[in-house]
Amino acid sequence: MPQATADLFASPCLQFKGSMVPLTTLELLYFDPEKFSQTLQEKIQQAPNLFKNLPLVLSLDKFADDINNLNLLQIRELCAAQELQLVGIRATEPAQIAAAQAAGLAVLQPSRGRQEAPEDDSQSSLQKASEPQTANPQSGAEATEEVEDPPPGNGVAANRVIRTPIRSGQQVYAPGGDLIIMAPVSAGAEILADGNIHVYGPLRGRALAGVRGNTEAMVFCQSLEAELVSIAGQYKISEDLLGNHWKKPSLLKLEDDRLVIREL
Amino acid sequence: MGKTTTSASIATGLAKRGHKTVVIDFDVGLRNLDLIMNCERRVVYDFVNVINGEATLNQALIKDKHTDKLHILPASQTRDKEALTREGVEKVLNELSESFEYIVCDSPAGIEHGALMALYYADEAIVVTNPEVSSVRDSDRILGILQSKSRRAEMGMDPVREHLLLTRYNPERVIKGEMLSVQDVEEILAVPLLGVIPESQAVLTASNQGIPVIHDDLSDAGQAYQDAVARLLGEEREHRFLDVQKKGFFSRVFGGKA
């Protein structure tokens, strides 16, 4: 046996590691197979790339319907039909947890004290599915800290302006508009917008523009030092961003479905 | 990391300059402040006793032996952290603010219950950080919590005033690239710099003797804390001890003590 192989077999064959994996959450208010399928399809059509083979967590925090109407196996099949993979649920009700275990799905801790931005399409049984969430069983508590409330709808696009630094662990989302940040965005922070993102300061965290599939969205920053930049699901991580534009004023946008960086 | 050392020195510094000051240990279960202040043998009642109404504030407050206008409210070593309730803390702080000019809350590490209680009622916050990436990242996180979970944030009042204090700074190691520089840390955190405390044997010696290092007028760390207190009170003072000291100069002046 070669020496290297002998060394390999001398060490344990597995080890546990804690890690943060971004997961998209599907918030279910009630379950109706036909509506579910239809709404899911509509949502996916807005950003097919973002959703392809996406692992999903079903959140039952706001499930208000009778538990007997909830068929997790059927939900999993309906998701699979749209090339989405349901990997687990978030729930607290014992009946829901039991149903998940019977269906062979993982049970994750529910989000605590999370404020959802008001949605326009409140008729739909699926709340917005496109906001990436960080699933981390250990510190889910402060995964999302809204710095300011979103401005009320006033007919104009719901842009959001923030003047204070966005710190590690904070998440700020501008639903339905642009996000303008006049301060640094720290490493470990996450900023999201349905429209463009402007950062008048260094961008060191994660920036996701056009999260609901707007391919025209752009990211502007005074100094590009980001951990991740994504536009309508196309993303680059910091390793890909290192280069001529690193720490320089930059513009990121989609050209022919590819994320490109331009000098500002 | 230097939070308790800093709390002890800042509180002592404020008192030495004539301001009536109390320092509260929020680290329930560990209790370090009274060791650093050398009063652990005089602890009869503690913060949790006062919150639970088992003792009055006057019974629990310990008068510092070295500094006239300084009092210490020790933490409990045995109790559960959850004994600190928001209402209880508020009651104690309100009562203290009637007779003290400054209340220094020594926060435990991390972002758990004790730290959240210590920062909730803050008007000003001194964030203590070391010149290393992980420490700076944690400070960034706590600054975020300060601006979103404090009472001032929840009530929509003026935000908590932030100060940055860099401890264990070693210019030689900065030049070697083993530590972040003051400029690096300031750039990442974007918070006004209150002071830079050099890495010093005097800090360790002072902790072991139970005399806050700010009393040590001859040490660089003691002087740096005095500068920080002066800045906290609104004085303009130039930052010192940021560069590598020329060999020979300090030993000549201070007899090698620094």
Side-chain angles (χ1 to χ4, degrees), chain A residues 139 141-142 145-146 165-170 184 186-188 204 225 227, chain B residues 111 137 139-145 147-149 162 187-191:
Chain A
S139 64
E142 72 292 326
E145 283 162 23
E146 295 283 315
I166 311 297
R167 306 286 184 183
S168 172
Q170 290 184 310
S186 295
R204 301 193 174 104
E225 303 167 40
E227 293 169 325
Chain B
I111 49 174
R137 183 71 69 89
S139 301
D140 190 60
R141 185 124 204 207
I142 204 84
L143 282 163
I145 292 173
Q147 298 307 353
S148 59
K149 298 252 169 89
E162 302 164 334
E187 204 199 86
I188 296 172
L189 293 178
V191 170

Side-chain angles (χ1 to χ4, degrees), chain A residues 133-215:
Chain A
Q133 286 207 347
T134 308
N136 178 8
Q138 266 122 46
S139 64
E142 72 292 326
T144 52
E145 283 162 23
E146 295 283 315
V147 169
E148 283 168 26
D149 290 330
N154 51 6
V156 193
N159 295 333
R160 204 169 159 191
V161 183
I162 287 171
R163 293 180 175 80
T164 52
I166 311 297
R167 306 286 184 183
S168 172
Q170 290 184 310
Q171 189 187 52
V172 179
Y173 177 44
D178 288 3
L179 179 60
I180 297 134
I181 294 173
M182 301 164 70
V185 176
S186 295
E190 188 170 67
I191 51 177
L192 309 104
D194 289 345
N196 306 309
I197 291 178
H198 306 252
V199 181
Y200 298 99
L203 169 57
R204 301 193 174 104
R206 299 153 57 92
L208 296 92
V211 290
R212 285 211 251 181
N214 177 7
T215 52

Side-chain angles (χ1 to χ4, degrees), chain A residues 57-76:
Chain A
V57 172
L58 184 72
S59 166
L60 296 176
D61 292 355
K62 295 197 177 147
F63 188 74
D65 199 6
D66 189 350
I67 177 78
N68 293 323
N69 293 338
L70 182 72
N71 186 338
L72 288 174
L73 285 172
Q74 194 179 4
I75 291 179
R76 183 157 72 176

Side-chain angles (χ1 to χ4, degrees), chain A residues 9 17 54 59 61-62 83 87 91 100 133 156 191 201 210 224 232-233 246 254:
Chain A
F9 286 116
K17 283 194 166 177
L54 193 71
S59 166
D61 292 355
K62 295 197 177 147
E83 293 189 73
V87 294
Q133 286 207 347
V156 193
I191 51 177
L224 179 65
W246 192 251
L254 287 186

Side-chain angles (χ1 to χ4, degrees), chain B residues 42-63:
Chain B
R42 292 194 285 149
V43 174
V44 182
Y45 295 108
D46 57 55
F47 192 18
V48 173
N49 289 134
V50 179
I51 286 178
N52 292 343
E54 295 152 5
T56 65
L57 252 183
N58 280 335
Q59 286 174 309
L61 282 174
I62 300 172
K63 204 174 167 312

Side-chain angles (χ1 to χ4, degrees), chain B residues 5-75:
Chain B
T5 303
T6 298
S7 300
S9 278
I10 297 278
T12 304
L14 289 168
K16 277 176 88 173
R17 289 172 139 256
H19 300 283
K20 208 170 171 216
T21 305
V22 58
V23 52
I24 309 178
D25 191 350
F26 272 79
D27 205 345
V28 171
L30 282 177
R31 219 175 89 177
N32 278 322
L33 183 70
D34 43 304
L35 277 175
I36 287 187
M37 306 286 292
N38 195 20
C39 62
E40 84 274 16
R41 281 186 302 277
R42 292 194 285 149
V43 174
V44 182
Y45 295 108
D46 57 55
F47 192 18
V48 173
N49 289 134
V50 179
I51 286 178
N52 292 343
E54 295 152 5
T56 65
L57 252 183
N58 280 335
Q59 286 174 309
L61 282 174
I62 300 172
K63 204 174 167 312
D64 187 61
K65 273 185 188 159
H66 304 280
T67 318
D68 212 16
K69 296 194 164 179
L70 180 62
H71 285 75
I72 300 128
L73 185 54

